[in-house]
Amino acid sequence: MSTAILTGPPVAGSPLEADLRALGFDVRTANDAASAAELLAAVPAQERVAVVDPRFVGHLHALRLALTDPRFPAAAVPGALTAQPGARAALARAFGRIPVGAGTAHLTDVLTDTLTESLDREETGLHRVELGSLVATVALTPAQREDAYEAVAAVDDEAVRLRTAVKSRDGFFTTYCISPYSRYLARWCARRGLTPNQVTTASLLTALIAAGCAATGTRGGFIAAGLLLLFSFVLDCTDGQLARYSLQYSTMGAWLDATFDRAKEYAYYAGLALGAARGGDDVWALALGAMVLMTCRHVVDFSFNEANHDASANTSPTAALSGKLDSVGWTVWVRRMIVLPIGERWAMIAVLTALTTPRIVFYALLIGCALAACYTTAGRVLRSLTRRARRTDRAARALADLADSGPLAELIAGRARGRGRTGSFLAPVMAFLSAAVLLVWVIFQDDPTSWLTVGVAVCSALLAGAAVARPLKGALDWLVPPFFRAGEYVTILVLAARADVPGALPAAYGLVAAVAYHHYDTVYRIRGGTGAPPRWLVRATGGHEGRILVITVLAAALSPSGFTIALTALAVVLALLVLIESIRFWVSSQAPAVHDEGEPA
């Protein structure tokens, strides 16, 4: 139970107390600021506290947004504010700063506004709710109160709540083919007490069943798989809309939503590969290639955003042109569809699964994602080269964490530190050479499973260490993590394919999936503001250069069948290591919340 303190002149017949109780608050009243402060001190420290002016008039959903959203330590609308346990001390200090005596009536006439301004100055993370068409005001006179009630009656509270459950920026397929009805499914779930985490889990289970249907290798199985994949996507949209509709955000939900999308998609790829194998067609290399390409695309997105989201002087002619294009309606949808977002991608996979073969599905996926990757990466390179942005130490730290450098690269970087100039193109050039030297060797050598390959891997590690020897603040330094990912993932793919024994590519698929999970986990921790996984985990997994060195040694020292067994064992060990630490983190109280606002009302 949370506590709401009503402080101010009482209003007879107001539905405010009933609304607050409907939102789960124990309502108490105070005559003035001093008695409100006493009530605040009496509330248990682990409880949320709201301070509301009895003259508040507004929509119930406006109160819900201000007083029950768990993502913000403090939030406010005109006439109402809330403080979670982490912001309770700041609220108490705000009460303590309110003067008493003659000449202070203007500060206590609307006490909630005075407290809100005080909390804002303390930088407690106060969130001012964007109300849009919703109403929230303090009616000081009967005439103002009548006008406010008319404004409330003019706006359908439930319609706004449904509309804002849908994200404002989404793909064409999601916006026009899923969200028009999934929002009602979200409301249906809310009214039956279902949680977003339950819907997320249902989406995962549906996708896994779809993968199982695809693995049968029959036309009926492929048709069922396509239909179930689409239904899984409907549920995937529904869980976020349910979270926004009912304001049910949680750290566990953040973790589930961030990781299950990739788990569903990559499990489905594996199901298609198994189904193709039943029909005599080996497409494991294509499945692994699709996973590698998709993961590298995401790393490009993450790295670019982390490098630039808090940079100063962060403008460019390319960005200005993009903004102008956004003002032309049809170009917005074309540009969103070109990048093949998850809705369009899953729709394409589902339709092609039902109508064609797994090989055609992967060909279409690889071509479409490759074109999308070229489009987005080229645009970001142009933006970076035309910007005169000054990147922060936080951005440099985030890029270094995304690079996933292990002990060997750290040692080399320590010896190379001080050479080269921060902000130059040295880092991305060294990272590119680190990946290119290794990939050219393993792809074009007749026998890459030799000790010479181990020597090339050592040279690649030397170049990787040089790439991260200086803070990554250059215009193109965000390319360093994607180059490292491509070098590691494609090396595993090629060595497994060249082993040419049954089971090598599926084992490599499992290994890349485990490593990719570790990289996605790193991204979402950084996004949540808690930093990368602990250094002991990065060192234990070897870093990207350490894993490459281990894999090349195994390929040189073992027979093809032994290499397959070693890849399988390595995949299991890494998966257990990163999953145990990830689960421990995301179910802990230190895990970040997800800030996904949807569309302002």
Side-chain angles (χ1 to χ4, degrees):
M1 176 69 73
S2 302
T3 300
I5 301 172
L6 292 175
T7 176
V11 177
S14 170
L16 181 59
E17 287 194 35
D19 287 345
L20 290 171
R21 290 193 175 93
L23 295 177
F25 285 91
D26 176 25
V27 181
R28 304 180 187 181
T29 59
N31 295 324
D32 51 32
S35 57
E38 291 177 1
L39 285 176
L40 173 67
V43 176
Q46 71 275 13
E47 284 191 15
R48 172 196 289 266
V49 172
V51 181
V52 185
D53 193 302
R55 296 165 294 180
F56 174 88
V57 178
H59 287 98
L60 176 62
H61 192 51
L63 274 180
R64 182 183 290 109
L65 289 170
L67 304 185
T68 67
D69 195 325
R71 297 170 296 170
F72 307 103
V77 292
L81 67 96
T82 185
Q84 294 204 64
R88 285 275 302 275
L91 181 59
R93 290 193 296 271
F95 269 110
R97 284 191 290 269
I98 295 175
V100 296
T104 63
H106 67 288
L107 295 175
T108 56
D109 187 36
V110 184
L111 181 62
T112 52
D113 290 353
T114 302
L115 293 172
T116 297
E117 293 299 326
S118 183
L119 286 176
D120 211 0
R121 287 192 298 270
E122 281 212 26
E123 298 184 357
T124 58
L126 176 73
H127 173 62
R128 293 182 182 268
V129 178
E130 293 184 32
L131 291 171
S133 58
L134 293 175
V135 176
T137 188
V138 176
L140 302 179
T141 66
Q144 290 177 351
R145 193 167 193 81
E146 184 176 347
D147 290 342
Y149 277 128
E150 289 180 359
V152 169
V155 176
D156 187 339
D157 179 277
E158 179 62 18
V160 171
R161 190 180 178 190
L162 270 175
R163 187 175 72 249
T164 54
V166 178
K167 286 195 295 187
S168 58
R169 288 184 60 86
D170 231 328
F172 181 88
F173 179 78
T174 304
T175 300
Y176 291 104
C177 299
I178 303 297
S179 293
Y181 58 87
S182 62
R183 70 184 74 184
Y184 296 101
L185 179 58
R187 181 171 67 181
W188 183 89
C189 292
R191 290 177 175 176
R192 283 152 184 81
L194 297 176
T195 67
N197 291 353
Q198 291 170 334
V199 178
T200 302
T201 304
S203 176
L204 174 66
L205 293 174
T206 304
L208 293 179
I209 295 171
C213 291
T216 64
T218 64
R219 178 52 50 195
F222 287 146
I223 293 173
L227 293 173
L228 287 170
L229 187 66
L230 285 176
F231 183 59
S232 174
F233 183 65
V234 172
L235 293 176
D236 183 57
C237 296
T238 301
D239 65 358
Q241 291 165 0
L242 174 59
R244 287 183 288 274
Y245 180 84
S246 57
L247 299 182
Q248 296 183 75
Y249 300 98
S250 68
T251 54
M252 177 63 78
W255 175 60
L256 294 178
D257 190 58
T259 57
F260 277 14
D261 280 350
R262 302 288 74 77
K264 288 180 286 190
E265 190 165 0
Y266 297 160
Y268 192 80
Y269 294 172
L272 284 175
L274 289 170
R278 286 181 177 273
D281 190 12
D282 186 354
V283 297
W284 274 107
L286 296 177
L288 181 50
M291 180 165 66
V292 168
L293 179 56
M294 191 60 56
T295 305
C296 289
R297 273 193 64 193
H298 289 145
V299 173
V300 168
D301 295 342
F302 299 144
S303 295
F304 179 81
N305 291 334
E306 287 301 322
N308 291 287
H309 88 277
D310 60 353
S312 58
N314 198 14
T315 59
S316 73
T318 310
L321 175 61
S322 178
K324 290 181 180 178
L325 288 175
D326 281 343
S327 65
V328 183
W330 66 270
T331 67
V332 174
W333 293 117
V334 170
R335 293 167 68 212
R336 290 187 192 177
M337 292 172 70
I338 286 174
V339 301
L340 206 62
I342 187 171
E344 279 74 0
R345 191 168 68 250
W346 281 29
M348 180 186 74
I349 293 171
V351 171
L352 291 178
T353 298
L355 299 179
T356 64
T357 66
R359 181 171 289 273
I360 293 176
V361 173
F362 285 123
Y363 281 154
L365 187 61
L366 286 166
I367 293 170
C369 288
L371 291 174
C374 291
Y375 169 77
T376 55
T377 305
R380 285 165 180 174
V381 168
L382 284 174
R383 288 191 184 195
S384 299
L385 291 175
T386 55
R387 275 176 172 151
R388 294 293 179 266
R390 292 184 294 276
R391 290 169 176 82
T392 62
D393 291 337
R394 189 217 61 81
R397 180 68 260 167
L399 290 180
D401 291 333
L402 289 173
D404 192 32
S405 299
L408 182 56
E410 285 182 336
L411 178 63
I412 297 166
R415 293 183 177 276
R417 193 157 286 129
R419 303 174 188 176
R421 181 168 57 86
T422 300
S424 70
F425 296 119
L426 181 63
V429 168
M430 290 294 102
F432 171 77
L433 290 175
S434 172
V437 165
L438 185 62
L439 294 181
V440 169
W441 178 269
V442 298
I443 290 171
F444 294 103
Q445 274 296 304
D446 291 334
D447 181 18
T449 58
S450 67
W451 290 105
L452 285 175
T453 305
V454 177
V456 174
V458 172
C459 293
S460 174
L462 290 171
L463 292 168
V468 295
R470 299 298 299 263
L472 299 176
K473 294 185 177 182
L476 296 179
D477 285 0
W478 56 270
L479 287 170
V480 170
F483 283 144
F484 287 163
R485 297 296 81 76
E488 179 182 2
Y489 297 160
V490 177
T491 297
I492 297 172
L493 189 162
V494 173
L495 289 177
R498 298 291 288 274
D500 198 24
V501 294
L505 279 167
Y509 192 94
L511 177 58
V512 172
V515 176
Y517 177 88
H518 168 57
H519 292 143
Y520 280 112
D521 187 50
T522 301
V523 164
Y524 288 108
R525 292 197 200 204
I526 292 172
R527 276 187 168 184
T530 58
R535 285 303 302 169
W536 70 261
L537 179 64
V538 177
R539 293 190 178 101
T541 58
H544 69 94
E545 80 290 347
R547 289 188 295 269
I548 290 174
L549 192 57
V550 168
I551 290 165
T552 55
V553 168
L554 291 173
L558 300 173
S559 65
S561 58
F563 180 58
T564 299
I565 295 172
L567 282 181
T568 304
L570 189 59
V572 171
V573 170
L574 283 176
L576 289 175
L577 193 62
V578 298
L579 279 172
I580 290 172
E581 162 55 23
S582 176
I583 293 170
R584 181 210 62 79
F585 171 78
W586 285 102
V587 300
S588 72
S589 58
Q590 288 78 36
V594 167
H595 291 252
D596 184 9
E597 288 305 299
E599 182 180 7

